[in-house]
Amino acid sequence: MNLDEEILAHWAKYVCVLTSGFVENSMRMILQDYVKRHANSPVVNFVDKRIEGLTNLNDDKIAQLLGSFNPNWREKYLQTRTSEQKDAIDSVVANRHLIAHGRSVGITLSRMKNFYNEIVRAVKIIDEVCVNYEQ
């Protein structure tokens, strides 16, 4: 691997970690927004504390978290998101975990761009599910 390839590989790892954080922050923001619109202060405070430490949000954890708010949200999410979006979320979380523990990953910037685009679409689905299925 020449220097340019090595630098690009490090950038891909950095983008992977940021993308994983994007999923976690997006989930927190969507759920906090929902709770602030529908609950009183004690409930908002409780939910804020419960979701502030969300990490490693793979597809299963996202579905479980949505289902803990409303079982219909979980079902709608699982029906709407694509297998490409699920694979992107799971791959980013798995690679982030390997990167954090100093392990080698074969991720590229091109692959991360595809993962990021799929994850942005998945986050939009999550936002729509929480906004449109309030019952």
Side-chain angles (χ1 to χ4, degrees):
M1 183 182 294
N2 67 36
L3 183 58
D4 288 342
E5 290 173 340
E6 187 174 337
I7 289 170
L8 290 175
H10 284 294
W11 276 110
K13 292 176 187 176
Y14 181 64
V15 171
C16 181
V17 171
L18 292 178
T19 302
S20 182
F22 169 74
V23 172
E24 295 165 3
N25 289 331
S26 296
M27 284 296 295
R28 268 188 229 104
M29 292 172 59
I30 291 167
L31 295 174
Q32 287 171 331
D33 182 57
Y34 176 82
V35 172
K36 285 178 183 171
R37 285 185 287 118
H38 294 89
N40 59 30
S41 268
V43 174
V44 170
N45 292 337
F46 175 78
V47 171
D48 281 350
K49 289 291 181 190
R50 298 290 290 195
I51 65 174
E52 73 181 2
L54 290 176
T55 60
N56 300 319
L57 285 177
N58 62 20
D59 189 69
D60 285 343
K61 283 186 172 181
I62 290 170
Q64 288 174 7
L65 182 60
L66 292 172
S68 69
F69 278 84
N70 184 329
N72 292 333
W73 291 3
R74 178 185 181 278
E75 292 308 312
K76 185 64 179 174
Y77 170 71
L78 292 174
Q79 292 169 357
T80 308
R81 64 105 174 90
T82 66
S83 61
E84 290 82 8
Q85 292 162 351
K86 176 191 183 314
D87 292 344
I89 292 167
D90 289 345
S91 293
V92 164
V93 171
N95 280 304
R96 186 206 58 84
H97 184 74
L98 293 172
I99 293 164
H101 293 279
R103 294 262 185 79
S104 177
V105 294
I107 200 156
T108 64
L109 279 176
S110 174
R111 187 77 172 146
M112 274 310 307
K113 180 180 177 186
N114 292 336
F115 285 162
Y116 179 78
N117 289 335
E118 293 295 340
I119 287 172
V120 167
R121 287 191 270 278
V123 167
K124 287 180 183 174
I125 289 169
I126 293 165
D127 189 43
E128 289 171 12
V129 165
C130 294
V131 169
N132 295 328
Y133 281 82
E134 295 182 354
Q135 300 302 319

